[in-house]
Amino acid sequence: MAAGPTDDTSAPAAPERKKRPLRIRNAATLIILDRSGDRPKVLMGRRHAGHKFMPGLFVFPGGRIELGDRSMPVAGTLNDRAEAALAEQVHPPLFHLGRVLALAAIRETYEETGLMIGSLDYGPPETAPPGAWSAFREAGVMPDLELLQFVARAITPPARPKRFDTRFFAVDREAVVAETPGIVGPDSELTELAWVDLTEARRLDLPRITGIVLDELEARLEAGFSPMLPVPFFRDVDGEHTREEL
């Protein structure tokens, strides 16, 4: 009897298709610090439980670069040390990457929390890309990169549903100059916000890297929080978690 179409011997086995590696996307996160009291506090937000990526966990606001971040006017610039560290280990080099990442961190923070980081001293930007940046123009807020400090970088390990090359920036709470209410809620990307000191923050349900960055942030604060301090860079190399300095 001839072999049928469902028999193992009917045809040679099809070669296994290799999964394409996930594209690693540039992203930025903003840590808002309140240093007005005895114990520094940070702003954390709980991600919606329906998200596929880190559902229900507490994180710093942030996300990936969008097109409008490349053309939004700014006041001030990142310091030279931050610019140099942001350009390290980037292949191929990307034009104005630091500026765009810092703007992405500010925009994502607004979209997720309603908080606008910047200055009212310069008047409103003359132009603004459509979307979230138009709210800055309407509120008379010019994003000010001089207020930000670059404090960490981390690449999502392999075998995750999404992978990001994330740069963590920090800024003082005094840099919040305007707010749009009603953005955080049960149906939003962040369902709640909490100002917590670093010890309380570690007790929250956090992604692993967020806990690591909190430890680095505490060490940085204890060392004087100088923008000249080395910036830790976390990634997997040959299956091992590594920490380098930029």
Side-chain angles (χ1 to χ4, degrees), residues 34-48:
D34 184 345
R35 295 190 283 172
S36 61
D38 294 336
R39 305 174 75 176
K41 293 184 177 182
V42 293
L43 182 66
M44 307 290 296
R46 186 193 287 274
R47 283 176 60 80
H48 195 284

Side-chain angles (χ1 to χ4, degrees), residues 157-158 163 233-244:
R163 298 192 70 194
F233 175 24
F234 302 96
R235 60 177 171 170
D236 278 28
V237 178
D238 297 328
E240 297 290 331
H241 298 306
T242 65
R243 180 191 185 280
E244 305 168 49

Side-chain angles (χ1 to χ4, degrees), residues 68-74 99 103 125 127-129 133 136-137 141 143:
D69 303 332
R70 302 183 185 277
S71 57
M72 180 63 188
V74 298
R99 177 187 186 280
L103 279 166
T127 62
W133 287 124
F136 280 69
R137 188 167 185 238
V141 176

Side-chain angles (χ1 to χ4, degrees), residues 22-200:
L22 285 174
R23 178 183 173 190
I24 301 174
R25 299 179 182 274
N26 285 312
T29 287
L30 191 58
I31 304 168
I32 305 180
L33 276 166
D34 184 345
R35 295 190 283 172
S36 61
D38 294 336
R39 305 174 75 176
K41 293 184 177 182
V42 293
L43 182 66
M44 307 290 296
R46 186 193 287 274
R47 283 176 60 80
H48 195 284
H51 285 307
K52 291 182 179 178
F53 189 67
M54 299 190 296
L57 300 186
F58 277 90
V59 297
F60 306 118
R64 43 190 250 200
I65 291 170
E66 292 186 357
L67 186 61
D69 303 332
R70 302 183 185 277
S71 57
M72 180 63 188
V74 298
T77 60
L78 295 168
N79 66 71
D80 291 344
R81 175 71 183 87
E83 287 282 11
L86 284 158
E88 280 191 53
Q89 304 280 353
V90 177
H91 309 288
L94 298 175
F95 188 61
H96 286 327
L97 177 63
R99 177 187 186 280
V100 175
L101 286 164
L103 279 166
I106 292 172
R107 174 190 48 75
E108 285 283 342
T109 296
Y110 171 69
E111 289 180 344
E112 295 179 5
T113 69
L115 303 178
M116 295 186 191
I117 305 293
S119 174
L120 298 170
D121 297 339
Y122 303 96
E126 289 186 8
T127 62
W133 287 124
S134 63
F136 280 69
R137 188 167 185 238
E138 291 167 11
V141 176
M142 182 77 80
D144 189 349
L145 305 191
E146 193 173 348
L147 304 173
L148 274 61
Q149 186 176 147
F150 178 39
V151 297
R153 177 182 174 188
I155 297 179
T156 311
R160 299 296 194 274
K162 294 181 181 180
R163 298 192 70 194
F164 297 100
D165 187 348
T166 303
R167 283 66 163 201
F168 293 77
F169 295 89
V171 69
D172 276 311
R173 188 174 185 173
E174 286 77 9
V176 178
V177 293
E179 180 177 1
T180 299
I183 286 182
V184 176
D187 298 319
S188 304
E189 185 165 351
L190 297 181
T191 59
E192 62 177 294
L193 296 177
W195 287 99
V196 289
D197 66 40
L198 302 185
T199 300
E200 293 169 325

Side-chain angles (χ1 to χ4, degrees), residues 1-12:
M1 181 173 159
T6 57
D7 293 341
D8 291 339
T9 57
S10 61

